[in-house]
Amino acid sequence: MLTLYHAPKSRSSRIVTLLMALDAMSEVDIRLTDIPRQDGSGARDPNNPHPEGKVPLLVTEDGEMIRESNAIMLYLTDRFPSDLAPAVGARGRGAYLSWLFWYGNVLEPAYVHQIAGLSHPALTATFRGMSEAVAYLVSGLQKREFLMGERFSAADLLIASPFLWFPEATPDVPVIRDWVARCGAEPVIAQSEAYDAMAAQDMRLARA
Ligand SMILES: N[C@@H](CCC(=O)N[C@@H](CS)C(=O)NCC(=O)O)C(=O)O
């Protein structure tokens, strides 16, 4: 069985959402894991083997550790084939890979730099900025409901995730706002939020 180290209401929540969408929750042992939170609560969990104590971390049956949300999502969508992602060799695979890696390599850095109020020519040269990222996202959503076409995909799940957590950070562009709303209306989003609420409660009770 696979093992997922998961902290409720964190970046690992999107992995739980993906597992639900893939109908693969029964294939994974989900270990509820504490992490230090930015509000000062929480602490590193000594049982979490992630080299930085972070989540998500997926461990395979033979003990291989997979870190980084997009790597884990790619692994899971390959391992559990579905309409959420094109298989190797299928049409759209290149776009799918590009969206997953663009999230980690470009969007998240640009988003964090903006939140931190950072600006430097080296950052701009490497990542560009949020206005370029927003323009790219808008271009990807032209005449389509979701990034991969007419269906919700794992790429939508990943890329919409920061805007679903922090709606106020959603770029004020109708195409993006409407797409985030469509993603948020996917039934697995509410299911995963309900799972996390219960998991957070279980963790509080276990600590008390
Ligand atoms: N790039 C990583 C980021 C993982 C990450 O920063 N996770 C946060 C939770 S939202 C964490 O574990 N923080 C605990 C810490 O910083 O020690 C990914 O997307 O998987």
Short mmCIF file of all heavy atoms in Angstrom, two decimals, residues 15-55:
data_model
loop_
_atom_site.label_atom_id
_atom_site.label_comp_id
_atom_site.label_asym_id
_atom_site.label_seq_id
_atom_site.Cartn_x
_atom_site.Cartn_y
_atom_site.Cartn_z
N ILE A 15 -3.63 16.51 -2.48
CA ILE A 15 -3.33 15.12 -2.82
C ILE A 15 -4.49 14.23 -2.37
O ILE A 15 -4.90 13.30 -3.08
CB ILE A 15 -2.01 14.65 -2.18
CG1 ILE A 15 -0.85 15.62 -2.49
CG2 ILE A 15 -1.67 13.23 -2.62
CD1 ILE A 15 -0.54 15.80 -3.96
N VAL A 16 -5.05 14.54 -1.21
CA VAL A 16 -6.23 13.80 -0.75
C VAL A 16 -7.38 14.02 -1.75
O VAL A 16 -8.07 13.08 -2.15
CB VAL A 16 -6.64 14.25 0.67
CG1 VAL A 16 -7.96 13.63 1.08
CG2 VAL A 16 -5.54 13.86 1.67
N THR A 17 -7.55 15.27 -2.20
CA THR A 17 -8.61 15.54 -3.18
C THR A 17 -8.39 14.71 -4.45
O THR A 17 -9.32 14.13 -5.00
CB THR A 17 -8.61 17.05 -3.56
OG1 THR A 17 -8.55 17.82 -2.39
CG2 THR A 17 -9.86 17.42 -4.35
N LEU A 18 -7.14 14.66 -4.88
CA LEU A 18 -6.85 13.89 -6.09
C LEU A 18 -7.15 12.41 -5.86
O LEU A 18 -7.74 11.75 -6.73
CB LEU A 18 -5.38 14.09 -6.51
CG LEU A 18 -4.95 13.29 -7.74
CD1 LEU A 18 -5.73 13.75 -8.98
CD2 LEU A 18 -3.45 13.44 -7.99
N LEU A 19 -6.74 11.87 -4.71
CA LEU A 19 -7.02 10.46 -4.42
C LEU A 19 -8.52 10.19 -4.46
O LEU A 19 -8.96 9.17 -4.98
CB LEU A 19 -6.44 10.07 -3.06
CG LEU A 19 -4.91 9.97 -3.02
CD1 LEU A 19 -4.42 9.84 -1.58
CD2 LEU A 19 -4.42 8.78 -3.85
N MET A 20 -9.29 11.13 -3.94
CA MET A 20 -10.75 10.96 -3.99
C MET A 20 -11.24 10.99 -5.43
O MET A 20 -12.05 10.15 -5.84
CB MET A 20 -11.43 12.09 -3.19
CG MET A 20 -11.24 11.93 -1.71
SD MET A 20 -11.94 13.34 -0.82
CE MET A 20 -11.91 12.68 0.85
N ALA A 21 -10.72 11.92 -6.21
CA ALA A 21 -11.15 12.03 -7.62
C ALA A 21 -10.75 10.79 -8.41
O ALA A 21 -11.44 10.40 -9.35
CB ALA A 21 -10.55 13.30 -8.24
N LEU A 22 -9.65 10.18 -8.02
CA LEU A 22 -9.17 8.97 -8.71
C LEU A 22 -9.82 7.71 -8.15
O LEU A 22 -9.51 6.61 -8.62
CB LEU A 22 -7.64 8.84 -8.57
CG LEU A 22 -6.78 9.91 -9.24
CD1 LEU A 22 -5.32 9.78 -8.80
CD2 LEU A 22 -6.89 9.80 -10.76
N ASP A 23 -10.65 7.88 -7.14
CA ASP A 23 -11.27 6.74 -6.46
C ASP A 23 -10.20 5.79 -5.93
O ASP A 23 -10.33 4.56 -6.03
CB ASP A 23 -12.20 6.01 -7.45
CG ASP A 23 -13.24 5.18 -6.71
OD1 ASP A 23 -13.42 5.41 -5.50
OD2 ASP A 23 -13.85 4.29 -7.33
N ALA A 24 -9.16 6.37 -5.36
CA ALA A 24 -8.00 5.57 -4.93
C ALA A 24 -7.72 5.72 -3.44
O ALA A 24 -6.64 5.35 -2.98
CB ALA A 24 -6.78 5.98 -5.74
N MET A 25 -8.69 6.24 -2.68
CA MET A 25 -8.44 6.41 -1.24
C MET A 25 -8.11 5.08 -0.56
O MET A 25 -7.31 5.03 0.37
CB MET A 25 -9.65 7.05 -0.56
CG MET A 25 -9.81 8.52 -0.85
SD MET A 25 -8.54 9.53 -0.06
CE MET A 25 -9.21 9.75 1.59
N SER A 26 -8.72 3.99 -1.05
CA SER A 26 -8.50 2.69 -0.39
C SER A 26 -7.11 2.12 -0.69
O SER A 26 -6.70 1.14 -0.09
CB SER A 26 -9.57 1.69 -0.84
OG SER A 26 -9.49 1.55 -2.24
N GLU A 27 -6.40 2.77 -1.63
CA GLU A 27 -5.07 2.27 -2.01
C GLU A 27 -3.96 2.92 -1.17
O GLU A 27 -2.79 2.61 -1.34
CB GLU A 27 -4.76 2.60 -3.48
CG GLU A 27 -5.82 2.16 -4.46
CD GLU A 27 -5.84 0.65 -4.63
OE1 GLU A 27 -4.78 0.04 -4.43
OE2 GLU A 27 -6.90 0.10 -4.93
N VAL A 28 -4.35 3.86 -0.31
CA VAL A 28 -3.35 4.66 0.38
C VAL A 28 -3.61 4.70 1.88
O VAL A 28 -4.75 4.94 2.31
CB VAL A 28 -3.35 6.12 -0.19
CG1 VAL A 28 -2.25 6.95 0.44
CG2 VAL A 28 -3.19 6.11 -1.70
N ASP A 29 -2.55 4.50 2.63
CA ASP A 29 -2.61 4.66 4.09
C ASP A 29 -2.29 6.13 4.35
O ASP A 29 -1.16 6.58 4.09
CB ASP A 29 -1.57 3.72 4.73
CG ASP A 29 -1.44 3.94 6.22
OD1 ASP A 29 -2.34 4.53 6.82
OD2 ASP A 29 -0.40 3.50 6.77
N ILE A 30 -3.26 6.88 4.83
CA ILE A 30 -3.03 8.32 5.06
C ILE A 30 -2.61 8.52 6.52
O ILE A 30 -3.38 8.23 7.44
CB ILE A 30 -4.28 9.14 4.70
CG1 ILE A 30 -4.57 8.95 3.21
CG2 ILE A 30 -4.06 10.62 5.04
CD1 ILE A 30 -5.72 9.75 2.68
N ARG A 31 -1.38 9.00 6.71
CA ARG A 31 -0.87 9.24 8.07
C ARG A 31 -1.04 10.73 8.38
O ARG A 31 -0.40 11.58 7.73
CB ARG A 31 0.62 8.90 8.15
CG ARG A 31 0.93 7.49 7.75
CD ARG A 31 1.20 6.59 8.97
NE ARG A 31 1.30 5.21 8.52
CZ ARG A 31 2.45 4.57 8.30
NH1 ARG A 31 3.58 5.18 8.54
NH2 ARG A 31 2.45 3.33 7.87
N LEU A 32 -1.88 11.01 9.34
CA LEU A 32 -2.09 12.43 9.72
C LEU A 32 -0.83 12.93 10.42
O LEU A 32 -0.30 12.27 11.32
CB LEU A 32 -3.32 12.57 10.61
CG LEU A 32 -4.64 12.19 9.92
CD1 LEU A 32 -5.81 12.39 10.87
CD2 LEU A 32 -4.85 12.99 8.64
N THR A 33 -0.35 14.06 9.96
CA THR A 33 0.99 14.53 10.28
C THR A 33 0.93 15.98 10.75
O THR A 33 0.29 16.81 10.09
CB THR A 33 1.86 14.44 9.00
OG1 THR A 33 1.77 13.10 8.51
CG2 THR A 33 3.30 14.81 9.23
N ASP A 34 1.62 16.27 11.82
CA ASP A 34 1.67 17.67 12.28
C ASP A 34 2.79 18.40 11.53
O ASP A 34 3.78 17.79 11.12
CB ASP A 34 1.94 17.71 13.79
CG ASP A 34 1.55 19.04 14.42
OD1 ASP A 34 0.87 19.84 13.74
OD2 ASP A 34 1.92 19.27 15.60
N ILE A 35 2.59 19.68 11.32
CA ILE A 35 3.63 20.53 10.71
C ILE A 35 3.62 21.88 11.44
O ILE A 35 2.60 22.28 11.98
CB ILE A 35 3.39 20.80 9.20
CG1 ILE A 35 1.95 21.29 8.95
CG2 ILE A 35 3.75 19.61 8.34
CD1 ILE A 35 1.72 21.86 7.55
N PRO A 36 4.76 22.59 11.41
CA PRO A 36 4.73 23.96 11.95
C PRO A 36 3.91 24.85 11.00
O PRO A 36 4.14 24.82 9.80
CB PRO A 36 6.20 24.40 11.95
CG PRO A 36 7.00 23.22 11.52
CD PRO A 36 6.08 22.22 10.91
N ARG A 37 2.96 25.58 11.56
CA ARG A 37 2.11 26.47 10.74
C ARG A 37 2.59 27.91 10.87
O ARG A 37 3.24 28.27 11.86
CB ARG A 37 0.65 26.38 11.20
CG ARG A 37 0.08 24.98 11.28
CD ARG A 37 -0.59 24.56 10.02
NE ARG A 37 -1.11 23.19 10.11
CZ ARG A 37 -1.84 22.62 9.17
NH1 ARG A 37 -2.16 23.29 8.09
NH2 ARG A 37 -2.25 21.38 9.30
N GLN A 38 2.23 28.71 9.89
CA GLN A 38 2.75 30.09 9.90
C GLN A 38 2.19 30.92 11.05
O GLN A 38 2.77 31.94 11.41
CB GLN A 38 2.48 30.75 8.54
CG GLN A 38 3.41 30.15 7.50
CD GLN A 38 3.47 30.95 6.20
OE1 GLN A 38 2.94 32.05 6.12
NE2 GLN A 38 4.13 30.39 5.21
N ASP A 39 1.08 30.47 11.66
CA ASP A 39 0.55 31.21 12.80
C ASP A 39 1.23 30.81 14.12
O ASP A 39 0.82 31.25 15.20
CB ASP A 39 -0.97 31.01 12.92
CG ASP A 39 -1.35 29.55 13.21
OD1 ASP A 39 -0.44 28.71 13.38
OD2 ASP A 39 -2.55 29.26 13.29
N GLY A 40 2.25 29.93 14.03
CA GLY A 40 2.99 29.54 15.23
C GLY A 40 2.49 28.24 15.84
O GLY A 40 3.14 27.70 16.74
N SER A 41 1.35 27.76 15.38
CA SER A 41 0.85 26.49 15.93
C SER A 41 1.57 25.32 15.24
O SER A 41 2.26 25.50 14.24
CB SER A 41 -0.66 26.38 15.71
OG SER A 41 -0.94 26.31 14.33
N GLY A 42 1.36 24.11 15.78
CA GLY A 42 1.93 22.91 15.15
C GLY A 42 3.42 22.79 15.39
O GLY A 42 4.09 23.69 15.89
N ALA A 43 3.92 21.61 15.00
CA ALA A 43 5.35 21.33 15.20
C ALA A 43 5.75 20.24 14.22
O ALA A 43 4.90 19.50 13.71
CB ALA A 43 5.59 20.85 16.62
N ARG A 44 7.04 20.14 14.00
CA ARG A 44 7.52 19.09 13.11
C ARG A 44 7.21 17.72 13.72
O ARG A 44 7.43 17.53 14.92
CB ARG A 44 9.03 19.27 12.89
CG ARG A 44 9.58 18.29 11.88
CD ARG A 44 11.01 18.67 11.48
NE ARG A 44 11.54 17.72 10.52
CZ ARG A 44 12.57 17.96 9.72
NH1 ARG A 44 13.18 19.12 9.78
NH2 ARG A 44 12.99 17.05 8.87
N ASP A 45 6.74 16.81 12.90
CA ASP A 45 6.38 15.48 13.36
C ASP A 45 7.57 14.55 13.17
O ASP A 45 8.01 14.34 12.05
CB ASP A 45 5.17 15.01 12.53
CG ASP A 45 4.63 13.66 12.98
OD1 ASP A 45 5.39 12.91 13.63
OD2 ASP A 45 3.47 13.38 12.68
N PRO A 46 8.10 14.01 14.29
CA PRO A 46 9.29 13.15 14.15
C PRO A 46 9.02 11.88 13.35
O PRO A 46 9.94 11.24 12.86
CB PRO A 46 9.65 12.81 15.60
CG PRO A 46 8.45 13.14 16.41
CD PRO A 46 7.65 14.15 15.67
N ASN A 47 7.74 11.53 13.18
CA ASN A 47 7.41 10.33 12.40
C ASN A 47 7.32 10.60 10.90
O ASN A 47 7.08 9.67 10.13
CB ASN A 47 6.08 9.74 12.87
CG ASN A 47 6.18 9.28 14.30
OD1 ASN A 47 7.17 8.65 14.69
ND2 ASN A 47 5.19 9.62 15.11
N ASN A 48 7.45 11.86 10.51
CA ASN A 48 7.35 12.20 9.08
C ASN A 48 8.75 12.09 8.45
O ASN A 48 9.64 12.86 8.78
CB ASN A 48 6.81 13.63 8.95
CG ASN A 48 6.72 14.10 7.51
OD1 ASN A 48 6.99 13.33 6.58
ND2 ASN A 48 6.36 15.37 7.33
N PRO A 49 8.94 11.17 7.51
CA PRO A 49 10.28 10.98 6.95
C PRO A 49 10.68 12.01 5.88
O PRO A 49 11.79 11.95 5.35
CB PRO A 49 10.21 9.58 6.32
CG PRO A 49 8.76 9.32 6.08
CD PRO A 49 7.98 10.17 7.04
N HIS A 50 9.80 12.96 5.56
CA HIS A 50 10.16 14.00 4.58
C HIS A 50 11.45 14.67 5.04
O HIS A 50 11.57 15.05 6.21
CB HIS A 50 9.02 15.02 4.48
CG HIS A 50 9.17 16.02 3.37
ND1 HIS A 50 10.18 16.97 3.35
CD2 HIS A 50 8.46 16.23 2.25
CE1 HIS A 50 10.06 17.71 2.26
NE2 HIS A 50 9.03 17.28 1.57
N PRO A 51 12.42 14.85 4.14
CA PRO A 51 13.72 15.41 4.57
C PRO A 51 13.61 16.78 5.23
O PRO A 51 14.48 17.15 6.02
CB PRO A 51 14.53 15.50 3.28
CG PRO A 51 13.72 14.88 2.20
CD PRO A 51 12.37 14.49 2.73
N GLU A 52 12.56 17.55 4.92
CA GLU A 52 12.39 18.86 5.56
C GLU A 52 11.21 18.87 6.53
O GLU A 52 10.78 19.94 6.96
CB GLU A 52 12.18 19.94 4.50
CG GLU A 52 13.40 20.17 3.64
CD GLU A 52 13.06 20.93 2.36
OE1 GLU A 52 12.05 21.66 2.32
OE2 GLU A 52 13.81 20.77 1.39
N GLY A 53 10.67 17.68 6.80
CA GLY A 53 9.52 17.61 7.72
C GLY A 53 8.24 18.16 7.12
O GLY A 53 7.29 18.47 7.84
N LYS A 54 8.21 18.26 5.77
CA LYS A 54 7.04 18.87 5.13
C LYS A 54 6.03 17.83 4.69
O LYS A 54 6.29 16.62 4.69
CB LYS A 54 7.49 19.68 3.91
CG LYS A 54 8.23 20.96 4.27
CD LYS A 54 8.46 21.79 3.02
CE LYS A 54 8.95 23.18 3.37
NZ LYS A 54 8.76 24.12 2.27
N VAL A 55 4.88 18.31 4.24
CA VAL A 55 3.88 17.49 3.56
C VAL A 55 3.56 18.21 2.24
O VAL A 55 3.71 19.43 2.17
CB VAL A 55 2.60 17.34 4.40
CG1 VAL A 55 2.86 16.55 5.65
CG2 VAL A 55 1.97 18.68 4.72
#
